[in-house]
Amino acid sequence: MLSRLREQIWADWIWFPEGYGWADLTDHDGKVYPKTQDLWATIPIALCFLVIRQIFERTVATPLASILGVTDKKRVRASPNPVLEPYFCSTSKNPTQSSIEVLSKQSGCSVRQVQRWFRRRRNQERPCKLKKFREASWRFTFYLVAFFAGLAALIDKPWLYDMKQVWEDFPKMPLLPSEYWYYMIELGFYLSLIFSIASDVKRKDFKEQIIHHVATISLISFSWLVNYIRAGTLIMLVHDSSDSFMEAAKMFNYAGWRNTCNIMFTTFAAVFIFTRLVILPFWIIHTTCVYPLTLYRPFLGFYFFNGLMFVLQALHIFWAILILRMVVKFLPGNHIVEDERSDKDETESEDEDGGHEKLQNGHAQNGHAQNGFTPLNNNHSKKD
């Protein structure tokens, strides 16, 4: 029963153009083709990335943070409270005004004391600047190395310059060693992001990041299985081209280097928009979605692959809107980009009436962004 179901799911007509099938991906005459079992290698690679990351953050990122002057301001901890703590953990971190008044009576504290306690308690859970700097340093290093490694692997390939070559002899395109390692390392890295997502800093676009990671892993894995590898290498190169600038901007932001941060972020915005909203849809997606129709009749695998591409493109548009909002904020003369996707610390001197209004609306002052694509806080005093 299971064997028959598997045969139906992986039938040639579903995943390949008419006249082609899995038999075309059998090694012969010294030519090697991608295989399903190859993907298992990405799990130990992902685990290695997790170990390397811990070593990197301790031996490289932490000393670098010290050199750049990344410091965490001291946070006043909320005093233990048997009434407010259970409410904070199980009901809401941002109680409404009516709830605050009820909690005030139950705890024997004044309304202002309850508000102050919740501000301090929320700040306790926000990640420290050093943690965010270490994460940004790790991603910056990977994206930078991955981009140049991918460029080195593709610089002599004809499909980098003529994208129609992506479909030349498809699906009978032999696998090159550079393509194998490029795929395994990229997929292993994104798997490591999934493994570490519970301990990483959570952004406002956390759900979108999960969708992005899952779509990326699915896209890379599927393109490997059906030998869409040439298109896959172009997609990975485009994605890696801008991310290092974003991570660099975050690093300088956490260090308080305002001018450098703004320069890096502006560069990131320009590269991101050009690669994700111009090159990807009008060159690569056109090559994977429109051009193949002149060669083959559409098949299910064609729709599946391009469906994942459109999911990624929708996420790129979502992030581009956040990026443009941040650019618009500092173009008129603001000193630093304000992060649209990360939380900022709440100060003890917040106006109480303003605090009441925010609590009534059910949220505190927020604003960060990630790799996807990350946040920039507006609470530093240093300048370049």
Side-chain angles (χ1 to χ4, degrees), residues 143-183:
Y143 291 134
L144 186 66
V145 172
F147 173 72
F148 283 105
L151 191 61
L154 294 174
I155 196 68
D156 60 342
K157 305 300 187 296
W159 59 88
L160 179 62
Y161 312 98
D162 179 10
M163 293 189 183
K164 292 182 179 180
Q165 293 291 320
V166 163
W167 298 101
E168 187 73 19
D169 296 328
F170 175 80
K172 302 179 180 180
M173 301 173 293
L175 176 65
L176 303 176
S178 58
E179 293 173 327
Y180 173 85
W181 286 110
Y182 192 22
Y183 255 76

Side-chain angles (χ1 to χ4, degrees), residues 4-270:
R4 185 177 179 181
L5 179 61
R6 185 167 55 249
E7 290 178 0
Q8 291 178 345
I9 292 176
W10 297 105
D12 291 345
W13 65 271
I14 295 179
W15 306 109
F16 294 95
E18 185 177 355
Y20 298 94
W22 297 106
D24 293 307
L25 300 183
T26 303
D27 297 349
H28 63 86
D29 300 329
K31 296 180 179 179
V32 178
Y33 297 89
K35 302 174 183 62
T36 304
Q37 56 267 31
D38 294 335
L39 296 177
W40 289 108
T42 60
I43 295 179
I45 290 175
L47 296 177
C48 286
F49 269 127
L50 294 177
V51 174
I52 294 171
R53 173 179 173 175
Q54 293 299 317
I55 297 173
F56 175 88
E57 290 186 356
R58 294 179 183 180
T59 61
V60 178
T62 300
L64 180 61
S66 178
I67 293 173
L68 294 180
V70 178
T71 57
D72 290 311
K73 68 178 183 180
K74 187 176 181 181
R75 295 174 179 174
V76 180
R77 299 184 65 85
S79 58
N81 191 299
V83 174
L84 303 183
E85 183 68 26
Y87 187 94
F88 180 90
C89 295
S90 61
T91 305
S92 174
K93 297 180 181 180
N94 297 278
T96 62
Q97 179 62 24
S98 58
S99 298
I100 289 177
E101 293 173 355
V102 172
L103 291 170
S104 174
K105 295 177 182 178
Q106 292 176 348
S107 62
C109 302
S110 68
V111 169
R112 287 194 175 188
Q113 288 174 328
V114 173
Q115 291 172 335
R116 184 178 298 112
W117 188 93
F118 273 93
R119 277 199 300 273
R120 291 177 175 177
R121 188 65 180 83
R122 285 192 295 268
N123 282 337
Q124 283 180 213
E125 295 209 337
R126 291 193 172 97
C128 65
K129 197 187 305 180
L130 180 59
K131 176 178 174 61
K132 292 188 284 189
F133 180 89
R134 288 196 296 247
E135 288 187 11
S137 300
W138 166 247
R139 290 192 295 266
F140 165 78
T141 302
F142 175 82
Y143 291 134
L144 186 66
V145 172
F147 173 72
F148 283 105
L151 191 61
L154 294 174
I155 196 68
D156 60 342
K157 305 300 187 296
W159 59 88
L160 179 62
Y161 312 98
D162 179 10
M163 293 189 183
K164 292 182 179 180
Q165 293 291 320
V166 163
W167 298 101
E168 187 73 19
D169 296 328
F170 175 80
K172 302 179 180 180
M173 301 173 293
L175 176 65
L176 303 176
S178 58
E179 293 173 327
Y180 173 85
W181 286 110
Y182 192 22
Y183 255 76
M184 294 299 106
I185 290 174
E186 285 278 349
L187 186 53
F189 177 75
Y190 279 103
L191 281 175
S192 73
L193 293 182
I194 292 292
F195 295 159
S196 64
I197 203 163
S199 59
D200 288 346
V201 175
K202 288 182 173 58
R203 317 297 186 187
K204 285 185 175 181
D205 61 345
F206 177 77
K207 293 180 180 179
E208 289 80 4
Q209 283 296 326
I210 292 291
I211 295 172
H212 175 270
H213 294 340
V214 172
T216 301
I217 291 171
S218 301
L219 185 63
I220 295 175
S221 301
F222 175 74
S223 64
W224 177 268
L225 293 176
V226 296
N227 209 10
Y228 284 12
I229 290 179
R230 292 182 179 180
T233 54
L234 294 176
I235 294 167
M236 292 188 295
L237 185 67
V238 164
H239 278 72
D240 290 336
S241 62
S242 62
D243 289 346
S244 59
F245 292 107
M246 180 71 257
E247 302 304 331
K250 288 190 290 181
M251 291 167 62
F252 287 116
N253 176 66
Y254 301 142
W257 294 31
R258 295 181 174 182
N259 294 335
T260 306
C261 169
N262 287 345
I263 291 171
M264 296 305 297
F265 183 80
T266 303
T267 304
F268 160 74

Side-chain angles (χ1 to χ4, degrees), residues 298-311:
F299 51 100
L300 183 59
F302 165 85
Y303 292 117
F304 182 75
F305 180 81
N306 285 289
L308 292 174
M309 291 291 291
F310 283 119
V311 169

